[in-house]
Amino acid sequence: MTKPGKFTGLGTLVLAIVFLVAIVFAANSNTVLGWVIAVIALGWLALSTAVYIGVHKAAAFGARQVQLAQAQMAQHSSAKTPADGGTHLISDGSRTAAKAREMKLDHSFKIVSVQIGVVNEYLGRDDAMVARALETIDITARNGRDMINPRWEAQEAKMDAAMDARTPASPTESKGTPPDDEPVTGVVLD
């Protein structure tokens, strides 16, 4: 349970003081009317205390329920989110799926356009802002490519490996040039 606020029990405290004053006056005057007022004050004090305790318990219960619901929602959404955090479109071939795909791609293009504006605005002034904008563009482009072809990274890696296998060694490697740690000697011609 949470701690009640500073002035939460002020009404109950006022009723307690009224009850004590009514008891003192009733005892001093020793009249029936004084004791009736003291009993009425006691009833209001009991009612106020019961309401105060009930509201406090209800508020604490509500807070626990909200925390539980938030935890369940977080757990539920993390279970559905893919591990890589990418955007994956499940297409059933319907117009609705095609429309959703188009809307997501359009949104990705809008994000890229906005971030290009950020790069243009902060280029040369704030390198950190430019770096964040470029990172956002990269993430958005990857997510867009995931929507078009979920296996694009694997296909690109295969193509890079095939290109590396076909490309001959660079001319400097085949001529037997000295490693970088040996000094270069020779005559400089102008």
Side-chain angles (χ1 to χ4, degrees), residues 143-159:
N143 289 344
R145 289 186 79 182
D146 280 345
M147 282 187 278
I148 294 171
N149 181 4
R151 295 182 304 268
W152 70 271
E153 286 181 298
Q155 291 171 348
E156 208 168 82
K158 282 182 185 178
M159 289 185 343

Side-chain angles (χ1 to χ4, degrees), residues 87 101-115 136-137 139-145 147:
T87 304
R101 179 174 170 255
E102 289 173 8
M103 287 175 55
K104 286 182 177 185
L105 287 172
D106 181 57
H107 182 70
S108 294
F109 292 135
K110 287 177 185 174
I111 290 172
V112 169
S113 295
V114 168
Q115 294 305 318
T136 302
I137 290 171
I139 291 169
T140 304
R142 288 178 178 276
N143 289 344
R145 289 186 79 182
M147 282 187 278

Side-chain angles (χ1 to χ4, degrees), residues 31 35 51 68 76 170 175:
T31 62
W35 286 108
V51 167
L68 179 65
H76 182 69
S170 68
K175 290 183 182 178

Side-chain angles (χ1 to χ4, degrees), residues 8 15-17 47 80 82 87 119 122 130-131 134 186:
T8 312
L15 284 175
I17 292 171
L47 180 66
K80 285 189 167 188
T87 304
V119 168
Y122 289 99
V130 171
L134 291 173

Side-chain angles (χ1 to χ4, degrees), residues 4-140:
K6 190 174 183 179
F7 299 107
T8 312
L10 190 61
T12 304
L13 182 64
V14 168
L15 284 175
I17 292 171
V18 168
F19 172 69
L20 291 176
V21 169
I23 290 285
V24 169
F25 281 129
N28 284 341
S29 66
N30 204 10
T31 62
V32 174
L33 180 62
W35 286 108
V36 168
I37 291 174
V39 169
I40 290 173
L42 176 64
W44 278 109
L45 178 63
L47 180 66
S48 170
T49 304
V51 167
Y52 173 76
I53 291 170
V55 167
H56 182 65
K57 284 184 178 180
F61 177 76
R64 282 192 309 271
Q65 292 300 317
V66 167
Q67 288 175 344
L68 179 65
Q70 287 174 338
Q72 287 175 343
M73 286 176 54
Q75 183 181 13
H76 182 69
S77 67
S78 68
K80 285 189 167 188
T81 304
D84 63 353
T87 304
H88 299 285
L89 181 64
I90 300 171
S91 177
D92 60 0
S94 68
R95 285 178 47 134
T96 307
K99 182 74 174 166
R101 179 174 170 255
E102 289 173 8
M103 287 175 55
K104 286 182 177 185
L105 287 172
D106 181 57
H107 182 70
S108 294
F109 292 135
K110 287 177 185 174
I111 290 172
V112 169
S113 295
V114 168
Q115 294 305 318
I116 288 172
V118 170
V119 168
N120 289 333
E121 182 179 342
Y122 289 99
L123 192 62
R125 291 187 349 201
D126 187 353
D127 291 339
M129 184 67 97
V130 171
R132 283 193 299 270
L134 291 173
E135 181 183 8
T136 302
I137 290 171
D138 182 50
I139 291 169
T140 304

